[in-house]
Amino acid sequence: MRRVLVLGGTAEARELAELLAGDGRFGVTTSLAGRTPEPRLPAGQVRTGGFGGAEGLAGWLREQRVDVVVDATHPFAEAISRNAALAARTAGVPLLALRRPGWSPGEGDRWHGAESLAAAAALLPGLGHRPFLTVGRGDLAAFAGVPLPCLARSIAPPLPPLPAHCQVLLDRGPFTLEGERDLLREHRIDVLVTKDSGGPATAPKLAAAREAALPVLIVRRPAPPPGLPTVTTASAALHWLRAR
């Protein structure tokens, strides 16, 4: 049996864990950071909490005799992905990156790109007066200096500091187009701020913004560690693992 460590926290990671758990050739353990309350648990074994950086992860891979690592973390989990690449190289364990595709603008979209959260915060006042921030609970601090009344959506209570005039909406996707339309209208949103997370769970907000002709400020993804084999779906990851 091949031992697989899935660095998870995404829908793709859960899907892959379920596929691996149903295949007798693999034993799967999914690692969760433990930052999200009541996470959706995947099939197979689950490990919660950090490893102690790249060195700690490399030691864990050796101790558990892991045969392969799949980095299926969020596209913006830059530090985790960097540590995974270093740890896998140190421990001599193959590493596969599972990354869902990013979003692409369509006809009628009014998208504005930003290379970082700080750049997005600087651009925001020129795009609207009532922003809807959907950047995650840990990244709202980048907008603390924005002098606008904001609506922020987060799975769990966000980490301070926050914008001075910020209303927090606690909710978890997947979201619907009808629900996103109602939210934009009810809160008089005139600009949407998001990260290019990709995937269908939170994409309806983009369609609702397009219908309302709202500008969308999108933070571009960080570059992944170079040289890694990469797939975009859980089924493709399973195929890669079987081929090895």
Side-chain angles (χ1 to χ4, degrees):
M1 181 178 290
R2 304 283 288 175
R3 295 181 177 89
V4 181
L5 173 66
V6 177
L7 302 176
T10 61
E12 293 76 18
R14 291 191 297 273
E15 183 182 355
L16 177 59
E18 186 172 353
L19 292 173
L20 292 173
D23 189 323
R25 289 170 286 187
F26 300 101
V28 59
T29 297
T30 299
S31 172
L32 301 178
R35 297 170 186 157
T36 302
E38 300 181 5
R40 295 167 180 164
L41 296 180
Q45 297 184 15
V46 177
R47 182 191 184 281
T48 303
F51 292 92
E55 184 177 350
L57 176 54
W60 193 90
L61 295 176
R62 295 191 191 99
E63 292 168 6
Q64 300 298 318
R65 299 181 181 179
V66 172
D67 295 297
V68 62
V69 179
V70 180
D71 177 8
T73 56
H74 192 277
F76 282 81
E78 191 173 7
I80 298 174
S81 294
R82 187 168 53 246
N83 285 343
L86 179 56
R89 187 164 59 247
T90 300
V93 176
L95 173 64
L96 173 69
L98 170 54
R99 290 286 183 273
R100 58 181 177 245
W103 293 313
S104 298
E107 184 177 355
D109 281 322
R110 298 173 57 199
W111 286 16
H112 302 263
E115 295 300 327
S116 66
L117 290 160
L123 290 171
L124 182 54
L127 295 176
H129 303 283
R130 175 65 173 168
F132 179 28
L133 305 177
T134 62
V135 296
R137 65 189 294 259
D139 289 326
L140 284 172
F143 298 86
V146 173
L148 298 172
C150 303
L151 174 68
R153 184 165 63 195
S154 176
I155 294 176
L159 305 176
L162 302 178
H165 307 286
C166 184
Q167 178 183 352
V168 177
L169 175 64
L170 298 182
D171 203 357
R172 185 196 301 259
F175 301 103
T176 66
L177 177 56
E178 182 179 3
E180 299 293 64
R181 284 177 185 143
D182 292 343
L183 186 147
L184 296 181
R185 184 169 53 250
E186 176 185 351
H187 293 275
R188 295 174 285 108
I189 299 301
D190 62 3
V191 58
L192 170 66
V193 183
T194 187
K195 296 187 294 190
D196 183 16
S197 301
T202 59
K205 63 189 175 187
L206 298 172
R210 181 187 311 122
E211 290 182 355
L214 300 185
V216 179
L217 182 53
I218 294 191
V219 181
R220 298 187 180 97
R221 294 182 176 190
L228 290 184
T230 303
V231 295
T232 58
T233 65
S235 58
L238 178 64
H239 178 79
W240 187 90
L241 291 166
R242 285 174 171 171
R244 294 189 66 84

